[in-house]
Amino acid sequence: MYGHEMNSENNRALNSVIGALVADAASMGFHWLYDQVAIKTLSNGTPEFHAANEKDYIDKGYYAHHGKKPGDYSQYGAQMIAMLDALAVHGQYDDANYIRTFRDWFDLGGKWCGYIDKPLNSPYSIFMP
């Protein structure tokens, strides 16, 4: 990947991450809205790439999408991209390299602008000096 040998295993891995990123972006508009009837009603049957609206979440879920638009990725997508950045450097996983790219994404002034949930915040505090 990214200048490293692209064999069938690497290609499958890259394609699975791309698929996950597309799914993450497609579901952003209803992320953390757990009312299936509301999702069906609000989406008119096409929930993919729905523009998130804070009013849709009142008494139904948690709205964490300020500044996000259809097609943007969530913090989960950003974590996948941080991992891809780390893999691009060495072509394989390396703890120190991943921690460095994770900090580049989620440290103060990093690439990520958006909500950081508790599971993301927990490892984040471990990675920080």
Side-chain angles (χ1 to χ4, degrees), residues 8 11 30 74 78 99:
S8 64
N11 191 45
F30 290 120
S74 73
I99 290 168

Side-chain angles (χ1 to χ4, degrees), residues 26 28 46 50 59 78 104:
M28 169 59 89
T46 55
H50 178 80
D59 298 324
D104 288 346

Side-chain angles (χ1 to χ4, degrees), residues 38-119:
I39 291 171
K40 185 175 181 179
T41 301
L42 294 166
S43 70
N44 291 322
T46 55
E48 304 86 3
F49 299 102
H50 178 80
N53 181 336
E54 190 168 5
K55 293 175 186 173
D56 297 342
Y57 286 75
I58 296 173
D59 298 324
K60 292 183 177 75
Y62 182 74
Y63 182 77
H65 311 305
H66 298 282
K68 300 294 178 195
K69 56 189 179 305
D72 285 349
Y73 45 82
S74 73
Q75 73 276 15
Y76 303 121
Q79 289 175 68
M80 285 187 277
I81 295 170
M83 178 61 75
L84 285 177
D85 285 353
L87 293 171
V89 174
H90 295 292
Q92 61 186 19
Y93 180 79
D94 173 76
D95 285 339
N97 191 42
Y98 176 61
I99 290 168
R100 194 170 29 261
T101 59
F102 189 93
R103 286 178 178 166
D104 288 346
W105 272 88
F106 297 103
D107 200 0
L108 295 176
K111 297 174 184 179
W112 175 247
C113 254
Y115 179 73
I116 294 180
D117 63 1
K118 288 180 186 176

